[in-house]
Amino acid sequence: MPRTSLAYGNEEVAAVLEEIADLSDLKGENPFRAVTFRAAARAIRDLREPLRVLMEQKRLDEIPKVGPAIAEAIEQLLTTGTSTRHQQLTKEVPAGLLTLLSVPGVGPATARVIYDNLKITTIDDLEEAAKAGRLRSLPKIQAKTEENILRSIASLRQRTGRSLLIDARAAANEIVAYLREKRDPKLISVTGSVRRWRETIGDVDVLVAAAAAGPIMKAFCEAPSVERVLARGETKSSILVARGLQIDLRVVPPASWGAALMYFTGSKEHNVRLRGLALKRKLLLNEYGLFRVGEEKTGNPIASRTEEEVFAALGMDWIPPELREDRGEVDAALAHGLPRLVALSDIRGDLHAHTSWTDGRDTVAAMAERARAKGYEYLALTDHSVGLGMTHGLNAERIRERTKEIAAVNEKMEPFRILVGTEVEIRSSGKLDYDDKTLASFEVVTASVHSAFSQEREVMTKRIVGAMGHARVNAISHPTGRLLERRDPYEVDLEAVIAAAVRTKTRLEVNGGPERLDLSDVAVRRAIDAGVMLVCNSDAHAVEELDQMEYAVATARRGWATKARVQNTMPLTELLRHLEGKG
DNA sequence: GCCGTTTTCGGCCCGACTGTTTTCAGTCG
């Protein structure tokens, strides 16, 4: 009997399928086979159920791009922890070729040439060979390619994964401001994953519409923040700025603005969907417009000037950028059934923020004033509980003092309202850090895990679900504990947490801290489908961090959340009723 | 390998830039 391999979840299976795709490319198999494996891997990452459940219910074939062959690989991975196809390929494709693929600019063909001739299998050896000038003797490789490989290795070493959205936005806004000042183009926009508000960013894309591209390109490639120009063409250039972040600029004619904006905003998969859809109608969609097939050379598109126009010509509603990931939005837009997503302007207050009473920087009054200036009706100050010593967590006496201060500030700020809150630690034992009587003295209680991250999955799940059962716990903050690019989520059965949220009417937080964005967009979607009520919070530790709310709302939007499903879109009176007895 | 107003086999999105090339393959997004 095959032993069940518990180590294999959706993510692990998707990773193996992607490796099969790479190996298949390296072996020189039909490239469309690799395309399909990658598409299946992505579909699995987007799944809102565990593969194991689908397998048990014989429903693996319901997953897009999963046919008999890939379903078999999945079953093998889930039951034995290995797949015969993967094993076969690793036997046939020399170890190390995969490593070479990770160097930007080196694809399957180049990797093959390098390996076949020099038997190189590590980045270190590749660097050494390039430095020694041994690559330039290979077919199709000359000095220029050798230099590029060296530079790619250097930036590979400099980089640590993807950029946080907040850092990428800062870089994007800086270059846009610079181009506006230098050339003042009529139409300029950040596109790509930054416009979609993805949680981490590979590179930044900027689009400009201008009759003449030359002057814009020149200004871009000579920007003060440029560390290296990667490519410089007539309509497209790429630069490298600080910390190895790449910025691409594309210039199109003004008449193509809408089509280009769509083309450079959608994820690859979303764009493939749209172009395939166009083809079925004998139409061609590219960055210049939507054309009748054969007429794309005439320069007479059916639609191109605005996104709305192009979507309409495809028979669809306009799709918010946050949804353009090919996760069902195309069909929903065709059926005119897209949800009306929650918007930042719907938010009436923030229910998770810290003050100088614990580890925040600013005072009760300063935080409240800033929240009121943002147009909020309320702000919950949820300082840490006593057990979190390093944050100077509040004991009973300091709770009373802080409550008094809040009452005084509230009196001055009416009708704006500060809510007396706490972010109570869920101890490793599962016990809350305050007794019931103390908890009852707060108007808002959000509970979270800040310790013993490495507990077993069952223990951690019981710990969190147990806290949700407490009558005074309104919400769970940053439910998975992840720190983007730094710390994985702790092991927790998110399905069980989601089910408990529905059962106990506990809200799950979408945390706007740029390094958290926890719940993730995919987890939000699962929670929304299950019927969970969310709360979008900034987790601010200083007045300006109240602006992090926009990241929480963007993440909720990416998970298809509507206004009705976000608790802090409620007016104060309704919210207070909702908080009491969990609504 | 998958899929179907192109329906069980033949096609699979599209274009820009680079480098090594005299017309194109490789890579990327």
Side-chain angles (χ1 to χ4, degrees), chain A residues 38 57 66 147 169 196 276 397 428 439 446 453 496 531 553:
Chain A
R38 289 196 187 96
Q57 299 174 351
V66 172
E147 282 168 33
R169 285 186 83 218
R196 299 201 308 277
E397 188 188 339
S428 61
L439 283 175
T446 190
F453 294 122
V553 172

Side-chain angles (χ1 to χ4, degrees), chain A residues 262 274 277-278 281 283 290 302-303 307-319 329-338:
Chain A
M262 278 173 68
L274 287 192
L277 198 75
R281 299 171 188 195
L283 300 172
L290 181 67
I302 297 168
E307 285 192 340
E308 287 80 357
E309 190 185 303
V310 178
F311 275 118
L314 286 166
M316 311 165 69
D317 293 337
W318 180 83
I319 301 174
E329 76 284 1
V330 172
D331 291 326
L334 282 168
H336 307 294
L338 281 171

Side-chain angles (χ1 to χ4, degrees), chain A residues 350 368 372 376-380 406 410 413-420 443 572 576:
Chain A
D350 197 328
R372 185 171 64 175
Y376 290 162
E377 294 173 31
Y378 48 86
L379 169 70
I406 288 174
N410 260 338
M413 294 188 66
E414 243 183 332
F416 182 86
R417 175 74 183 277
I418 306 168
L419 299 169
V420 179
E443 294 172 287
L572 178 63
L576 289 174

Side-chain angles (χ1 to χ4, degrees), chain A residues 18 28 73 90 95 131 143 149 184 218 243-244 265 274 326 385 467 473 501 511 515 519 532 539 550:
Chain A
E18 268 168 1
T90 35
K131 277 187 179 153
I149 287 176
D184 193 28
K218 186 166 185 298
R243 290 196 299 273
T265 297
L274 287 192
D326 191 28
S385 58
V473 170
N511 187 295
E515 74 289 356
L519 297 173
V532 169
D539 196 356
E550 67 181 334

Side-chain angles (χ1 to χ4, degrees), chain A residues 59-260:
Chain A
R59 288 166 52 217
L60 286 177
D61 60 349
E62 290 178 13
I63 306 167
K65 307 294 173 181
V66 172
I70 296 182
E72 188 190 353
I74 295 172
E75 293 214 14
Q76 289 181 346
L77 287 169
L78 289 177
T79 51
T80 70
T82 159
S83 113
T84 45
R85 173 180 290 272
H86 184 247
Q87 282 180 320
Q88 185 63 33
L89 281 168
T90 35
K91 223 179 288 170
E92 289 168 353
V93 179
L97 274 181
L98 276 177
T99 316
L100 299 186
L101 268 193
S102 66
V103 178
V106 176
T110 313
R112 179 51 86 175
V113 167
I114 293 172
Y115 174 79
D116 283 350
N117 289 280
L118 301 175
K119 296 284 175 278
I120 285 173
T121 59
T122 69
I123 304 281
D124 286 344
D125 290 350
L126 182 64
E127 187 174 30
E128 197 191 333
K131 277 187 179 153
R134 283 191 287 132
L135 297 183
R136 67 182 69 182
S137 60
L138 305 179
K140 303 258 192 186
I141 297 180
Q142 301 235 349
K144 196 81 189 205
T145 303
E146 197 174 68
E147 282 168 33
N148 283 341
I149 287 176
L150 268 181
R151 272 203 282 257
S152 290
I153 292 174
S155 52
L156 203 64
R157 295 238 159 91
Q158 185 190 18
R159 273 218 72 185
T160 55
R162 297 168 63 86
S163 304
L164 293 185
L165 174 59
I166 194 170
D167 297 331
R169 285 186 83 218
N173 291 338
E174 186 186 319
I175 195 81
V176 166
Y178 162 82
L179 289 175
R180 280 220 169 94
E181 188 202 315
K182 275 276 177 197
R183 306 298 322 172
D184 193 28
K186 254 202 202 78
L187 296 169
I188 180 166
S189 173
V190 177
T191 61
S193 48
V194 174
R195 185 167 179 236
R196 299 201 308 277
W197 293 80
R198 253 195 78 163
E199 59 200 19
T200 60
I201 303 295
D203 52 39
V204 169
D205 297 295
V206 178
L207 178 68
V208 163
I216 289 274
M217 278 304 165
K218 186 166 185 298
F220 178 69
C221 292
E222 293 168 2
S225 53
V226 171
E227 290 194 350
R228 179 181 153 207
V229 176
L230 291 169
R232 181 169 179 173
E234 281 176 36
T235 68
K236 184 187 168 190
S237 296
S238 299
I239 58 172
L240 226 45
V241 298
R243 290 196 299 273
L245 180 66
Q246 182 178 332
I247 306 181
D248 296 340
L249 174 70
R250 186 65 192 268
V251 183
V252 297
S256 302
W257 177 249

